[in-house]
């Protein structure tokens, strides 16, 4: 029976609801009306009602079907308890009988039997079996070959000792939990690359103590480089793999950045995200490695040679007696994988630089540059003989004076990658090529000609933020008006912003007064008036009496106040010198004379 379109399916669902609501004898007219509308027979309408929406013309369901006296919260708690007791291998260790007893002792009531509880859990997808079902998967596609590659390393059951091939038997593999393999110092690891668009498979083997970034680098060079007799080559735009330690190493990440490959890491335990390479691993194991039991090879070099020959034949559908063409829904017939990869265009095929260049790129690091006032930076690309200017005009998140991180890129004319942190800590990444077009005087031809034209620089993010803040502080004003208002010291926010007067209305809390103790100063610590030297004191006296001192008065002051004149006695001296002059001369040691 053909599938219904979404519109017809909705119509059938509505028809089923109308049939449930109609009284006795009213179903037949509705079915005939639907048959006439859909140009079906009534029998077809009944069949589609049952197949598409589950409606039957037999005994109607009870009006309380699906309802229960057990609360949904109690059922969810019961299901959660059983789910939390599932082991990592998926085995359920807590069942309804035990879980129910535990929860009832904690005050949760159910009121129905265990069989009914199991039914309710199953109907509401709260049981362990329903939770084991994988979540729906969103399908992914690659628009062209070399768009997305998937990589997955795995331990191979083949290993070599003294130029002899050994294969771990299944009984050893499972029963001894790889104890036999643990005794082998250098194991054989299988790396497989899978092209998402064409399903091309590239296997490679290495002998090592474990997965590391050196083996991953060598595999990438082998898979992306040009190999004799192999059609597949080139660097992808995206790399989908797991969060393995080698994949996350700084050196590999650095290499991918400079090759402009974006790594995509799937969640741990979600291997189906890269199901293509998982299936490719199975193909290599069953279609190629199964042959090694009958025709052994002596070492890894021979193993790689044999694997390359098999992969080329498999992807080209040239294995005698075997059809290895790719079959996908939506494709007309079956197609060889290499035939699909051959659809790549020139701009999509990015060739890998020499291995020594890639090794140098892997070891290189970013450098910091300050953005100059003309929104440019200077950088010397490894392939250039001198530094060049790179314009960052119009790039998001970049303003004058910012510190940006720069790294050289492989593809493009001395292209670089510029990274600048965004406000939330994420890095904004831009691809920039050097500024071109200078006149014979070394001036930029695109620059504005003096006296003939005016070219405004694009606004930076900081300038946009400035404009938005000015609009808040001085609403309705242009840039020149805002400047004039600031020069006039005009209060921003139209003077309506209360900045401090509200502090006067704050009611302070009442505190209990604290008693203190007075400090009693000793007698010698009492403060005495400041002393002026004789010269300064005489100057003040002269100013106060309005004349110069006589010789006797001068001698009196010098002798009487040799250690200084107390400042509080200056007024008394002024009064003394302004008094009528007596016949008796002043005495230096006699203190003040009587007036």
């Amino acid at each position: 029976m053909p599938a219904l379109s979404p519109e017809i399916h909705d119509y059938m669902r509505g028809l089923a609801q109308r049939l449930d609501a109609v009284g006795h004898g009213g179903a037949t007219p509705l079915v005939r009306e639907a048959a006439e509308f859909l140009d079906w027979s009534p029998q077809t309408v009944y069949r589609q009602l049952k197949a598409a929406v589950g409606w039957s013309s037999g005994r109607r369901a009870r009006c309380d079907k699906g309802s229960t006296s057990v609360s949904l919260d109690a059922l969810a708690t019961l299901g959660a308890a059983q789910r939390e007791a599932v082991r990592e291998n998926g085995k359920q260790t807590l069942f309804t009988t035990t879980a129910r007893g535990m929860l009832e002792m904690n005050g949760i009531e159910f009121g129905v039997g265990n069989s009914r509880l199991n039914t309710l859990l199953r109907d509401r997808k709260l049981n362990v079996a329903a939770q084991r079902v994988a979540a729906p998967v969103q399908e992914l596609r690659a628009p062209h070959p070399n768009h997305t590659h998937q990589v997955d390393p795995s331990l191979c059951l083949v290993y070599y000792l003294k130029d002899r091939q050994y294969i771990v038997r299944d009984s050893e593999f499972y029963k001894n939990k790889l104890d036999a393999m643990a005794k082998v110092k250098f194991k054989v690891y299988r790396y497989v690359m899978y092209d998402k668009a064409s399903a091309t498979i590239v296997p490679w083997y290495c002998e090592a103590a474990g997965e590391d970034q050196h083996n991953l680098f060598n595999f990438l060079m082998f898979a992306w480089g040009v190999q004799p007799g192999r059609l597949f080559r080139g660097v992808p735009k995206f790399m989908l793999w797991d969060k393995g330690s080698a994949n996350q190493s700084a050196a590999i990440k650095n290499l991918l950045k400079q090759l402009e490959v974006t790594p995509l890491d799937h969640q741990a335990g979600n291997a189906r995200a890269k199901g293509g390479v998982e299936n490719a691993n199975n193909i290599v194991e069953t279609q190629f490695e199964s042959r090694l039991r009958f025709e052994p090879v002596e070492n890894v070099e021979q193993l790689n040679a044999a694997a390359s020959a098999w992969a080329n034949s498999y992807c080209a559908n040239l294995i005698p007696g075997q059809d290895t063409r790719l079959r996908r829904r939506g494709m007309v017939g079956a197609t060889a994988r290499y035939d699909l990869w051959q659809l790549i265009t020139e701009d999509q095929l990015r060739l890998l630089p020499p291995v020594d260049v890639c090794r140098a790129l892997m070891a290189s690091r970013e450098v910091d540059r300050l953005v100059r006032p003309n929104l440019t930076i200077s950088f010397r690309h490894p392939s250039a003989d001198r530094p060049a200017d790179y314009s960052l005009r119009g790039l998001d998140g970049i303003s004058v004076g910012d510190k940006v991180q720069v790294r050289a890129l492989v593809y493009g004319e001395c292209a670089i990658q510029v990274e600048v942190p965004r406000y939330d800590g994420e890095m904004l990444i831009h691809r920039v090529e050097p500024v071109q077009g200078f006149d014979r005087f070394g001036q930029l031809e695109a620059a504005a000609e003096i006296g003939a034209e005016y070219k405004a620089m694009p606004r930076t993010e900081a300038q946009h933020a400035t404009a938005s803040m000015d609009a808040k502080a001085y609403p309705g004003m242009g840039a020149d008006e805002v400047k004039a208002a600031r020069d006039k010291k005009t209060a921003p926010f139209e003077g309506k912003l209360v900045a401090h007067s509200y502090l006067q209305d704050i009611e302070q809390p009442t505190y209990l007064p604290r008693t203190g103790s007075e400090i009693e100063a000793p007698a010698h610590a009492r403060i005495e008036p400041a002393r002026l030297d004789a010269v300064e004191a005489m100057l003040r006296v002269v100013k106060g009496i309005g004349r110069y001192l006589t010789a006797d008065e001068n001698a009196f002051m010098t002798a009487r106040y040799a250690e200084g004149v107390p400042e509080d006695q200056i007024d008394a001296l002024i009064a003394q010198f302004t008094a009528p002059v007596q016949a008796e001369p002043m005495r230096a040691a006699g203190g003040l004379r009587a007036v």
Side-chain angles (χ1 to χ4, degrees), residues 31 92 141 235 240 242 244 323 332 415 461 463:
V31 172
Q92 181 179 356
R141 75 178 187 94
V235 180
L240 181 60
D242 56 27
D323 185 0
V332 179
E461 186 177 2
Q463 289 175 316

Side-chain angles (χ1 to χ4, degrees), residues 383-406:
S383 61
D385 56 355
R386 65 178 63 184
D389 287 345
Y390 293 82
S391 176
L392 307 184
R393 295 175 55 179
L395 300 183
D396 293 338
I398 296 180
S399 302
V400 174
D402 284 348
K403 180 183 289 186
V404 298
Q405 293 181 346
V406 183

Side-chain angles (χ1 to χ4, degrees), residues 244-260:
S245 58
N247 304 344
Q248 303 301 313
S249 65
I252 295 298
K253 284 186 173 182
N254 197 41
L255 173 66
L256 295 184
K257 281 186 177 181
Q258 304 202 55
L259 293 175
E260 297 180 79

Side-chain angles (χ1 to χ4, degrees), residues 455-475:
K455 295 182 179 180
M457 291 287 286
R459 280 189 166 189
T460 64
E461 186 177 2
Q463 289 175 316
H464 283 292
T466 299
S468 63
M469 289 188 292
D470 285 348
K472 291 289 186 182
Y474 300 93

Side-chain angles (χ1 to χ4, degrees), residues 269-440:
N270 187 29
R272 60 183 177 171
K274 60 178 194 308
V277 72
E278 296 288 342
N279 183 56
N281 261 302
N282 182 63
I283 291 176
V284 173
E285 185 175 358
T286 58
Q287 302 291 326
F288 168 66
E289 292 178 6
S290 59
R291 304 169 184 262
L292 299 175
R293 190 178 298 273
F294 305 97
E295 187 181 355
V297 293
E298 296 180 355
N299 49 50
V300 175
E301 289 74 17
Q302 295 182 12
L303 179 62
N304 276 323
S308 296
W310 168 85
N312 287 332
S313 301
Y314 185 88
C315 293
N317 189 35
L318 295 178
I319 297 180
Q322 187 176 359
D323 185 0
T324 61
R325 293 177 297 173
L326 182 67
R327 292 172 174 81
R328 286 175 175 167
R329 67 184 192 281
M331 290 176 54
V332 179
T335 309
R337 299 165 194 258
Y338 273 171
D339 290 344
L340 291 177
W341 190 90
Q342 191 71 4
L343 298 177
I344 194 172
T345 60
E346 182 179 354
D347 61 315
Q348 296 166 354
L349 179 55
R350 304 191 304 159
L351 298 179
L352 184 73
V355 176
D356 56 345
V357 174
C358 292
R359 187 173 287 108
L361 293 175
M362 183 172 61
S364 64
R365 292 293 181 268
E366 303 97 339
V367 295
D368 293 335
R369 290 290 185 269
L370 286 178
V371 181
R372 297 183 290 205
N374 60 349
L375 288 175
T376 63
I377 59 173
S378 177
F379 180 77
R380 183 184 180 278
H381 196 279
S383 61
D385 56 355
R386 65 178 63 184
D389 287 345
Y390 293 82
S391 176
L392 307 184
R393 295 175 55 179
L395 300 183
D396 293 338
I398 296 180
S399 302
V400 174
D402 284 348
K403 180 183 289 186
V404 298
Q405 293 181 346
V406 183
R407 68 168 68 244
L409 295 178
V410 174
Y411 303 104
E413 189 65 30
C414 294
I416 63 172
Q417 180 176 284
V418 178
E419 295 185 4
V420 59
R422 201 170 60 174
Y423 66 93
D424 57 359
E426 292 292 330
M427 299 298 290
L428 293 174
I429 301 176
H430 305 284
R431 188 181 190 275
V432 186
E433 293 190 355
V435 177
Q436 301 291 340
F438 293 91
D439 61 16
R440 58 180 178 174

Side-chain angles (χ1 to χ4, degrees), residues 115-161:
S115 177
R116 178 59 178 163
L117 284 177
N118 288 332
T119 301
L120 295 174
L121 291 174
R122 183 175 60 253
D123 293 343
R124 287 156 179 78
K125 308 300 182 185
L126 296 172
N127 59 328
V128 173
Q131 295 299 313
R132 285 199 188 102
V133 177
V137 177
Q138 175 64 50
E139 293 193 22
L140 304 174
R141 75 178 187 94
H144 58 78
N146 280 19
H147 178 275
T148 302
H149 288 173
Q150 299 177 8
V151 170
D152 184 45
S154 59
L155 182 63
C156 186
L157 300 186
V158 177
Y159 65 96
Y160 295 92
L161 287 176

Side-chain angles (χ1 to χ4, degrees), residues 42-82:
Q43 291 78 13
T44 302
V45 174
Y46 280 116
R47 285 197 301 270
Q48 289 289 4
L49 281 170
K50 183 176 182 180
V53 298
W55 185 89
S56 175
S57 61
R59 190 180 71 176
R60 294 185 183 177
R62 290 165 38 188
C63 61
D64 62 344
K65 181 180 179 181
S67 62
T68 177
S69 60
V70 184
S71 68
L72 182 59
D73 183 68
L75 289 174
T77 304
L78 178 62
Q82 297 185 51

